[in-house]
Amino acid sequence: MSSSLSRLFLVAASVTPALGFCGAHTHLDRRAGEEVPVSTFGYTGTVGPILWTQLDPLVNGLCSTGTNQSPINMVEGQFQLIPASDVELTIPDVEGATFENLGSTVEVAMEGLGGKFVLEGKTFELQQFHFHHPSEHVDNGVSLPMEMHMVFTSEAEEIAVIGIYVDLVDIPAVLQLHILPRRAPSRLLETIFSSIGEIASPGTKTTTKPLVMSELVTLLKAGSFQRYTGSLTTPPCSEGVAWSVATEKLLLSKSTYQAVRDIVGFNSRYPQNKLGEENLLTIASSEKANSPVEAPTNSTAALRRWLRS
């Protein structure tokens, strides 16, 4: 890697704490009007995670230099396990909410609808929740089909996020006989995504049917939260975000999942290094990574071994 390319990954960047909604066109922006903000970043090619810093070097520097970045592999030693029953979480049912396609994700706007999350005596209010495909956090080495992120903010504009894995479930034929299976899809998710076809294009929005949020709260309260302090998983990758990854999973029917997948596409940041360790992009751009790699003495033999493996 050339020294100029090395410097590309280490463009000087200001430290951006998770206060406020810095960065243009992310799903953390406050709405200035009725228009749906379309994201300027993405997940592949020149707008993907490896080059997020270069999209706005003065704002997005932590994406390539931060040492407490999210998502991470959720393994022992990286989080503190807290019973969800010990945490105050209230989200009222709503008659309907705005459902938007931001280009980078699909999002349900919940600002002002009464959702609250209390952490260590500090109250956070629910602003929105959105979805990633596949999951961004990795559950002890296992990636799940999707992940839901519920974004809360305090009066000081600090950020707390509840991450919920979404797994898939078949809808057996016995449903036609009104016999409920042991594992059924989440009615909340099925209700939300029943409108996915109405926001197939970035910049579009619709209103959901009534959302029974109590279903979600009851599910989460039955399990635990894996707590750690990390970052936003989108630019500007601000650190100091209070993460609570739920041990309970939401379920989605395969047919609904396919409909969501076809619109959302791939929108997950790759797993980051362990908390407190050097940013993977910093490592990749270091002089150690620039040392030449010796070619095998017998490349033909190596190729043959690879083809047989």
Side-chain angles (χ1 to χ4, degrees):
M1 183 181 295
S2 68
S3 59
S4 60
L5 184 56
S6 174
R7 288 194 297 273
L8 184 65
F9 287 112
L10 295 173
V11 175
S14 57
V15 175
T16 314
L19 298 172
F21 297 92
C22 46
H25 302 301
T26 75
H27 49 251
L28 286 174
D29 286 335
R30 294 191 185 278
R31 301 314 194 245
E34 295 301 316
E35 186 176 347
V36 177
V38 177
S39 302
T40 55
F41 67 91
Y43 293 89
T44 59
T46 56
V47 296
I50 291 178
L51 296 176
W52 279 350
T53 290
Q54 283 62 57
L55 296 179
D56 193 337
L58 295 179
V59 173
N60 298 344
L62 285 176
C63 298
S64 57
T65 62
T67 57
N68 287 286
Q69 290 288 292
S70 300
I72 60 172
N73 183 17
M74 302 299 291
V75 295
E76 187 175 350
Q78 291 293 287
F79 59 82
Q80 181 182 9
L81 193 64
I82 303 294
S85 57
D86 292 347
V87 176
E88 184 179 339
L89 174 65
T90 56
I91 309 175
D93 297 339
V94 297
E95 289 302 311
T98 302
F99 189 27
E100 304 172 333
N101 185 332
L102 307 185
S104 59
T105 188
V106 291
E107 172 183 301
V108 177
M110 295 290 289
E111 184 176 3
L113 297 181
K116 296 187 185 302
F117 186 35
V118 179
L119 290 176
E120 299 175 354
K122 186 175 297 184
T123 300
F124 294 79
E125 296 187 358
L126 179 60
Q127 303 297 316
Q128 46 94 346
F129 57 87
H130 60 271
F131 300 88
H132 292 276
H133 162 253
S135 69
E136 293 201 303
H137 287 94
V138 180
D139 186 16
N140 194 24
V142 178
S143 175
L144 277 292
M146 293 180 63
E147 186 173 344
M148 175 176 168
H149 288 169
M150 308 185 71
V151 181
F152 299 76
T153 61
S154 69
E155 287 188 0
E157 294 191 334
E158 296 162 304
I159 299 172
V161 184
I162 295 178
I164 310 162
Y165 297 115
V166 179
D167 208 349
L168 305 183
V169 63
D170 284 316
I171 301 179
V174 294
L175 277 179
Q176 300 173 4
L177 302 176
H178 306 289
I179 301 174
L180 291 177
R182 292 182 179 179
R183 285 164 45 94
S186 161
R187 293 182 181 178
L188 174 64
L189 290 189
E190 294 290 333
T191 299
I192 293 168
F193 291 138
S194 67
S195 303
I196 192 75
E198 299 173 26
I199 57 169
S201 301
T204 56
K205 64 180 178 179
T206 188
T207 301
T208 69
K209 297 174 183 177
L211 302 180
V212 182
M213 303 302 296
S214 55
E215 171 204 321
L216 176 61
V217 174
T218 299
L219 174 75
L220 295 178
K221 288 281 191 177
S224 300
F225 287 129
Q226 297 171 331
R227 292 280 316 283
Y228 78 96
T229 301
S231 75
L232 302 179
T233 65
T234 59
C237 307
S238 306
E239 297 187 342
V241 174
W243 277 96
S244 300
V245 178
T247 58
E248 295 295 311
K249 299 176 178 64
L250 285 166
L251 298 177
L252 188 65
S253 67
K254 290 183 178 179
S255 59
T256 300
Y257 164 76
Q258 290 166 356
V260 176
R261 176 201 62 192
D262 291 347
I263 289 175
V264 173
F266 175 83
N267 70 333
S268 293
R269 188 187 192 192
Y270 59 89
Q272 302 296 294
N273 208 351
K274 290 182 178 180
L275 298 172
E277 296 189 1
E278 198 170 15
N279 191 291
L280 294 175
L281 292 181
T282 301
I283 296 173
S285 62
S286 68
E287 290 303 318
K288 290 182 291 185
N290 293 332
S291 58
V293 178
E294 294 184 5
T297 55
N298 189 338
S299 57
T300 301
L303 176 61
R304 287 173 178 167
R305 287 196 298 272
W306 180 81
L307 289 174
R308 289 197 300 267
S309 64

